[in-house]
Amino acid sequence: MRNLKNTFLTTFLAIIVALSSNHLYAQGNADIIIYNAKVHAMDENNTTAEAIALKGNKVLAIGTNTEINKLRSKKSKSIDAKGKTVVPGLFDSHAHVIRAGRFYNSELRWDGVNSLEKALQMLKEQAQRTPKGQWVRVVGGWSPYQFKEERFPTLEEINAATGDVPTFVLYLYGKVYLNKAAIAALKLNSESENPPGGLIERDKHGNPTGMLFAEPNAFILYSTLAKLPELSDAEKINSSLLYMTELNRLGITSVMDAGGGFQNYPDDYGITDQLNEEGKITIRLPHYLFAQKKGQELNDYTKWVGMVDVGIHPKATATPKDYYVAGAGENIVADAGDFENFLFPRPELPDSMETQLLPVIRLLVNNKWPFRLHATYDQTIGRMLDVIEAVNEENPLGDLVWFIDHAETVSDANLKRIKALGGGIAIQNRMSFQGENFIRRYGKKAANEAPPIHKILEMGIPVGLGTDATRVSSFNPWLAIHWLVSGKTVGNTEVLQKENRLDRNLALKLMTKGGYDLIKQSHEKGMLKPGYFADLIILNEDYFNIPEDNIKNLKSNLTIVDGKVVYADDQFQNFKKPELEVIPSWSPVKYYGGYQHN
């Protein structure tokens, strides 16, 4: 009798599903139909299709051109994909968009530039147009190994290119080049003291040469950067909009913002708060709060827990794109900061780390606040897990969202502990830019598993892929995917051997569904399935079949976020939006744009 009931129930459910499907196709009320496409749903079955229909901010159906055409109405907008590849929008699970947007228009980006000669020429041109009172600044996203010359610039070359215009050139978390005008503007002299963990290089007379080094703490680099003049509020708004457009152009529809150094809450969130209220944010942007004052972190988080409800969408005049405070991190306390400056040995964290971290983690867990923890080295991860396990004994974490960021040298033992506590790992392609430095310090074998991606996935630990843009690496998400697929740095050095690389399908899944796995939202985002949120991109080339090196140059011809076209290029002229005028007039973005596709 029980088997008969089960059979009846199964048949009944199958009929309901079939009727629902037929009803769906009979509705004929799609808002957007994309046809003549190679649609990759990136779902559990790796479904492919010819067409996709969107209704409101959700996917209505995918199928053949004939099936999806039945959903057309007089009001439907039709997009002929002309055989192009359609995939879910990319979700960068670790970047610094809110901070980067405020400075984007003021920065000369060397992202993608393939020769030092060209980089120095850009520096020279920008110095000539930069007005008095402003600086020329290159802030991360490049490696000397991406240049055909395979070397760093020299101070002499930078001074020759920039003359009397103050210039700041940041190389990752490692070092800064200051020209002579910058040394004078910052009032650095023979009496200037080195901050803890930092070095002001000096000549034989004790005078600063213009080189600042993180040994290994990057505070000296970022505290110096923070002294440079900022843009006006109007320019920051323009800058943030242009930066989000650049991300949309590269196929990004969502970013988890990891806070960052000198990113104070709520003061430095005013620009994106305003854009959210005006309905102008074109990416989903959950953001984490990063305490800034060493020794005062518990006070900061206590204040924020009392004033912010995580996951609550602020009121907006248009549909919000998931702009909300998502939790705490990436640095929870300053004593736990283990900067991945592979030019120098691993930092030894102070004995006070655990006593500083414990009350903050306890506060977050007691208030059900998700958190993320910056940890490059396994030694740091182990000490953090000691704290998390102690809090879990007091108050079980349960299904609370938490994860480790970076984890390049995480061990098998600590992976088991992360798994047992229900945590995840957000990885980034920092090795694309630092792989050569890592190999020099730790060897080729260690680099092959930095991080041990296959072990993490085999253990069933949620993994999201990101970039850590903009000061550590480029904001181009395809460099991260290229790194996992090819195993190579931007300088073409092999860092991941074949057994630790991913196939293209899995690598892309980590940059679409992966981030949503981390925050337990993959039941509604990250795939192209009926009922899922409509975030998708039409690619300029077929990701699944192009040569590996071409992956780095992929971009979107058309990007849809929340069911709305937010970016289109000349390939889809009818959907192209008017371009914003870049301000200020001397902005490098006006002359060079964003990522440099060579």
Side-chain angles (χ1 to χ4, degrees):
M1 188 69 176
R2 179 176 295 175
N3 289 339
L4 182 62
K5 287 182 178 179
N6 289 341
T7 301
F8 174 79
L9 180 60
T10 301
T11 304
F12 177 75
L13 290 174
I15 292 171
I16 293 296
V17 170
L19 289 173
S20 299
S21 177
N22 289 335
H23 176 66
L24 186 68
Y25 284 117
Q27 285 179 338
N29 61 353
D31 293 322
I32 295 176
I33 288 176
I34 301 173
Y35 62 100
N36 290 341
K38 298 176 184 175
V39 180
H40 292 260
M42 305 303 293
D43 60 3
E44 301 87 348
N45 301 316
N46 293 321
T47 303
T48 59
E50 293 178 317
I52 183 168
L54 312 180
K55 175 67 175 176
N57 64 350
K58 300 288 183 69
V59 174
L60 182 60
I62 67 171
T64 65
N65 286 330
T66 301
E67 289 170 335
I68 299 302
N69 189 55
K70 294 176 182 177
L71 299 171
R72 190 186 309 276
S73 72
K74 291 181 180 180
K75 295 182 179 180
S76 300
K77 294 179 181 178
S78 296
I79 300 174
D80 183 354
K82 303 171 186 176
K84 290 182 177 291
T85 299
V86 175
V87 297
L90 305 185
F91 184 9
D92 187 333
S93 61
H94 184 124
H96 301 272
V97 171
I98 294 171
R99 181 180 67 190
R102 291 165 47 223
F103 296 99
Y104 179 65
N105 281 10
S106 66
E107 294 174 356
L108 175 66
R109 305 295 307 184
W110 283 351
D111 304 48
V113 176
N114 62 5
S115 77
L116 181 57
E117 179 183 14
K118 180 179 178 182
L120 290 169
Q121 180 61 33
M122 293 168 70
L123 204 64
K124 181 177 181 179
E125 293 169 359
Q126 187 57 36
Q128 292 170 348
R129 68 174 66 98
T130 299
K132 187 174 182 179
Q134 274 293 346
W135 287 53
V136 176
R137 58 191 95 187
V138 177
V139 185
W142 63 278
S143 162
Y145 303 102
Q146 77 192 41
F147 302 141
K148 64 183 181 183
E149 298 89 345
E150 293 191 0
R151 68 173 179 87
F152 287 103
T154 66
L155 276 173
E156 291 73 20
E157 288 171 326
I158 290 174
N159 275 295
T162 57
D164 60 358
V165 181
T167 298
F168 176 104
V169 178
L170 173 68
Y171 171 65
L172 310 178
Y173 277 131
K175 56 186 176 181
V176 160
Y177 297 79
L178 299 173
N179 70 352
K180 292 178 181 178
I183 294 172
L186 293 170
K187 297 183 171 62
L188 294 177
N189 55 46
S190 59
E191 303 300 318
S192 300
E193 295 184 0
N194 294 325
L199 172 69
I200 302 171
E201 184 183 73
R202 306 168 195 275
D203 63 20
K204 64 181 181 181
H205 303 293
N207 297 313
T209 64
M211 295 299 303
L212 307 180
F213 290 95
E215 287 194 339
N217 194 311
F219 177 80
I220 186 175
L221 313 183
Y222 291 160
S223 61
T224 303
L225 179 58
K227 297 174 183 177
L228 275 55
E230 295 195 18
L231 298 170
S232 69
D233 282 353
E235 290 164 346
K236 288 177 184 176
I237 289 172
N238 181 264
S239 177
S240 294
L241 289 171
L242 288 167
Y243 183 52
M244 286 188 289
T245 298
E246 173 67 358
L247 296 181
N248 295 151
R249 184 182 75 88
L250 292 168
I252 292 177
T253 58
S254 305
V255 174
M256 269 197 279
D257 190 289
F262 295 89
Q263 178 67 20
N264 294 286
Y265 184 83
D267 298 347
D268 292 328
Y269 291 71
I271 299 299
T272 43
D273 285 349
Q274 179 180 334
L275 291 174
N276 177 59
E277 290 168 6
E278 296 172 356
K280 293 180 179 178
I281 289 181
T282 61
I283 55 175
R284 300 186 189 276
L285 192 56
H287 43 279
Y288 290 74
L289 304 188
F290 186 130
Q292 301 294 320
K293 300 173 184 175
K294 179 178 170 60
Q296 297 298 312
E297 297 93 344
L298 180 59
N299 291 339
D300 281 342
Y301 284 116
T302 300
K303 177 178 67 176
W304 294 336
V305 164
M307 65 184 281
V308 177
D309 292 321
V310 292
I312 299 298
H313 297 234
K315 185 178 180 181
T317 56
T319 303
K321 305 293 189 297
D322 287 11
Y323 178 84
Y324 62 91
V325 173
E330 77 187 87
N331 267 24
I332 299 291
V333 297
D335 281 353
D338 66 347
F339 289 101
E340 77 298 344
N341 179 10
F342 301 136
L343 296 173
F344 288 88
R346 175 179 62 84
E348 292 293 339
L349 301 185
D351 293 339
S352 57
M353 190 273 271
E354 286 84 352
T355 58
Q356 290 292 315
L357 184 61
L358 179 63
V360 179
I361 297 295
R362 180 185 289 128
L363 172 76
L364 297 173
V365 173
N366 288 347
N367 287 276
K368 303 300 181 186
W369 260 54
F371 60 92
R372 61 195 303 169
L373 290 156
H374 164 106
T376 300
Y377 299 99
D378 185 61
Q379 291 84 349
T380 305
I381 293 170
R383 292 175 64 180
M384 287 176 169
L385 289 172
D386 291 342
V387 172
I388 297 171
E389 287 168 345
V391 172
N392 185 62
E393 286 291 322
E394 304 169 357
N395 185 5
L397 274 68
D399 62 355
L400 183 67
V401 170
W402 75 274
F403 51 93
I404 300 289
D405 280 296
H406 315 312
E408 275 86 357
T409 68
V410 64
S411 65
D412 292 357
N414 280 334
L415 286 176
K416 291 176 182 177
R417 297 170 73 190
I418 292 169
K419 172 71 174 176
L421 289 164
I425 296 179
I427 65 171
Q428 303 80 38
N429 63 312
R430 304 191 303 182
M431 292 291 281
S432 291
F433 296 88
Q434 302 190 72
E436 291 87 355
N437 295 339
F438 188 96
I439 290 171
R440 284 196 176 98
R441 182 159 297 280
Y442 299 109
K444 181 70 175 175
K445 183 177 179 181
N448 183 49
E449 290 198 336
I453 182 63
H454 275 289
K455 289 180 182 177
I456 299 170
L457 292 170
E458 287 167 2
M459 292 179 66
I461 296 172
V463 179
L465 177 60
T467 63
D468 204 359
T470 58
R471 296 179 179 178
V472 176
S473 67
S474 174
F475 49 79
N476 182 353
W478 297 103
L479 297 181
I481 294 172
H482 171 265
W483 161 65
L484 284 180
V485 170
S486 71
K488 296 177 182 177
T489 69
V490 293
N492 209 36
T493 300
E494 182 185 85
V495 284
L496 295 177
Q497 294 176 19
K498 287 185 178 180
E499 68 272 13
N500 207 29
R501 300 174 197 166
L502 302 185
D503 64 56
R504 297 190 192 202
N505 191 60
L506 183 50
L508 184 57
K509 281 186 176 181
L510 295 189
M511 187 66 93
T512 50
K513 177 177 174 285
Y516 291 118
D517 286 334
L518 282 177
I519 58 176
K520 298 180 170 54
Q521 293 182 13
S522 58
H523 62 286
E524 61 181 3
K525 297 170 186 168
M527 293 183 280
L528 299 180
K529 297 173 64 173
Y532 274 56
F533 283 96
D535 299 347
L536 60 84
I537 55 179
I538 302 178
L539 292 174
N540 65 319
E541 292 188 82
D542 184 359
Y543 162 73
F544 296 95
N545 292 298
I546 58 176
E548 277 184 354
D549 278 351
N550 287 17
I551 293 173
K552 293 183 290 187
N553 293 316
L554 282 169
K555 54 187 175 181
S556 175
N557 291 140
L558 184 140
T559 302
I560 291 176
V561 177
D562 213 41
K564 298 178 181 66
V565 176
V566 296
Y567 172 81
D569 65 10
D570 292 338
Q571 296 278 324
F572 297 95
Q573 188 69 40
N574 291 342
F575 295 90
K576 189 175 181 180
K577 299 181 182 299
E579 294 183 4
L580 280 177
E581 180 182 357
V582 182
I583 58 173
S585 61
W586 52 266
S587 168
V589 175
K590 183 172 183 177
Y591 299 91
Y592 306 112
Y595 186 81
Q596 303 294 300
H597 294 278
N598 294 298

